Amino acid sequence: MAEFALIESIRTRCAVARDDVRLGIGDDAALLAVPSGWLLAVSTDTFVCGVHFLPDTAASDIGWKALAVNLSDLAAMGAEPAWAMLALTLPSADARWVEGFADGFAELARKHRVALVGGDTTQGPMSITVTIHGFVPPGAALTRAGARVGDGVYVTGTLGDAAAALSKTQSKSACDPQLLERLHRPTPRISQGSILRGRATSCIDVSDGLVADLGHICAASGVGAEIDADTLPASPALIAAFAAADRRAFQLASGDDYELCFTAPDAIATGLLRDLADSGCAAMRIGRIVAGADVQVRDANGSPLALPRSGWEHFA
Ligand code: ADP
Ligand code: MG
């Protein structure tokens, strides 16, 4: 299958109609209309075989996750998703792989009405780059920079499932399908990001590990944070699969959960938590913002815990 047949196969599988796409795939550039009065939020993420996914991962799961991690970045800004670009580098023109990839991508794209509006298709070692575009009202975006001393620190959903699944996969052990689903098909917290927009004081998605990502909030906001290790939300599947010490290490230091970590003052916390719970993804208070510069983890007695290891970093 030649380049243009691959592109056509992707285009038909990923078709999502949107009025703001004035010209989509097929010309030298897409023509897109940003709604007046909104800001364009843009983010990109690259997936490299062997680094971000194992070589035997299903093509449809790779397609889902390549879009999911990008949508998660928009969620963390409180943005509404709209358009995606897809740069695919493939070792060969494997039509079945591309169809599977496009089907997984399209399944998630349809859930969020994301139109694929262009991209590039080239030959080389497998690498996938998605660029996502969304909209956010001026002044309401969630950034990493607004956390204030006294704010609570919260996280949506549960932490550690993806790392648990990866650990089981790498040791070739049996793994609960619910954990595998969290690794291969993460749920971007788009509607929760919209709920937080204009209300949370800061937000980040947990892609590299809670301590590392909350550390980014602290650095950008000029504050420190304390996490109560015993309050970290864990899924029943994670509790069944790993003892407390492993669980805690996954929850604190491993990435790939794509939950939202955010800060909010106590005065608005009750309403915010109720709205999040109503959205189908509750958030839990896991700590607080303090004066200082780094993230400390405390046990049930309030004593500091040594951190298992730091979050994921390329070139480290
Ligand atoms: P050009 O040579 O002008 O860069 P291409 O031949 O690379 O154009 O692409 C033709 C059209 O197909 C363009 O509209 C481009 O955005 C789109 N396209 C190419 N690859 C992909 C892809 N992997 N996913 C979505 N659209 C793609
Ligand atoms: Mg091109």
Side-chain angles (χ1 to χ4, degrees), residues 219-303:
S221 300
V223 295
E226 289 175 357
I227 298 174
D228 302 315
D230 286 355
T231 65
L232 297 176
S235 69
L238 177 64
I239 292 169
F242 285 94
D246 282 339
R247 216 155 63 212
R248 185 175 280 174
F250 292 147
Q251 293 185 297
L252 289 169
S254 298
D256 257 6
D257 287 313
Y258 303 101
E259 296 294 350
L260 297 180
C261 175
F262 62 94
T263 58
D266 288 345
I268 66 158
T270 308
L272 207 47
L273 292 181
R274 188 188 51 234
D275 291 347
L276 290 169
D278 288 348
S279 78
C281 178
M284 299 266 286
R285 184 183 172 108
I286 59 166
R288 67 208 67 82
I289 296 296
V290 296
D294 47 23
V295 178
Q296 292 230 324
V297 183
R298 296 180 182 277
D299 67 14
N301 303 318
S303 310

Side-chain angles (χ1 to χ4, degrees), residues 184-232:
H184 294 306
R185 296 214 164 201
T187 305
R189 301 301 185 191
I190 291 290
S191 53
Q192 290 70 35
S194 303
I195 290 169
L196 295 171
R197 182 169 70 215
R199 297 165 82 185
T201 48
S202 71
C203 186
I204 193 167
D205 63 322
V206 181
S207 56
D208 296 335
L210 175 66
V211 172
D213 289 319
L214 180 55
H216 295 318
I217 284 184
C218 289
S221 300
V223 295
E226 289 175 357
I227 298 174
D228 302 315
D230 286 355
T231 65
L232 297 176

Side-chain angles (χ1 to χ4, degrees), residues 28-304:
D28 293 312
L31 298 175
L32 308 165
V34 180
S36 66
W38 292 64
L39 295 181
L40 185 63
V42 187
S43 183
T44 196
D45 261 309
T46 294
F47 254 48
V48 177
C49 183
V51 179
H52 300 94
F53 58 91
L54 303 169
D56 57 357
T57 306
S60 58
D61 287 344
I62 297 171
W64 173 289
K65 192 165 175 179
L67 179 58
V69 303
N70 277 275
L71 285 172
S72 178
D73 282 321
L74 285 191
M77 299 299 292
E80 304 291 335
W83 314 309
M85 301 283 285
L86 169 64
L88 263 185
T89 302
L90 304 172
S92 67
D94 181 342
R96 277 200 42 209
W97 190 92
V98 168
E99 287 161 14
F101 176 91
D103 284 341
F105 185 101
E107 205 182 324
L108 182 58
R110 278 192 292 267
K111 282 185 198 289
H112 296 283
R113 286 210 323 121
V114 171
L116 181 63
V117 296
D120 200 22
T121 306
T122 52
Q123 187 173 22
M126 186 182 282
S127 161
I128 299 146
T129 299
V130 174
T131 303
I132 191 85
H133 306 71
F135 313 133
V136 68
L142 303 166
T143 71
R144 302 175 178 186
R148 289 187 294 250
V149 174
D151 284 351
V153 177
Y154 301 84
V155 71
T156 60
T158 63
L159 294 174
D161 293 334
L166 184 62
S167 164
K168 292 282 189 195
T169 305
Q170 284 175 328
S171 66
K172 303 212 180 337
S173 312
C175 184
D176 186 323
Q178 284 179 304
L179 295 177
L180 287 172
E181 178 88 3
R182 293 270 290 162
L183 174 64
H184 294 306
R185 296 214 164 201
T187 305
R189 301 301 185 191
I190 291 290
S191 53
Q192 290 70 35
S194 303
I195 290 169
L196 295 171
R197 182 169 70 215
R199 297 165 82 185
T201 48
S202 71
C203 186
I204 193 167
D205 63 322
V206 181
S207 56
D208 296 335
L210 175 66
V211 172
D213 289 319
L214 180 55
H216 295 318
I217 284 184
C218 289
S221 300
V223 295
E226 289 175 357
I227 298 174
D228 302 315
D230 286 355
T231 65
L232 297 176
S235 69
L238 177 64
I239 292 169
F242 285 94
D246 282 339
R247 216 155 63 212
R248 185 175 280 174
F250 292 147
Q251 293 185 297
L252 289 169
S254 298
D256 257 6
D257 287 313
Y258 303 101
E259 296 294 350
L260 297 180
C261 175
F262 62 94
T263 58
D266 288 345
I268 66 158
T270 308
L272 207 47
L273 292 181
R274 188 188 51 234
D275 291 347
L276 290 169
D278 288 348
S279 78
C281 178
M284 299 266 286
R285 184 183 172 108
I286 59 166
R288 67 208 67 82
I289 296 296
V290 296
D294 47 23
V295 178
Q296 292 230 324
V297 183
R298 296 180 182 277
D299 67 14
N301 303 318
S303 310

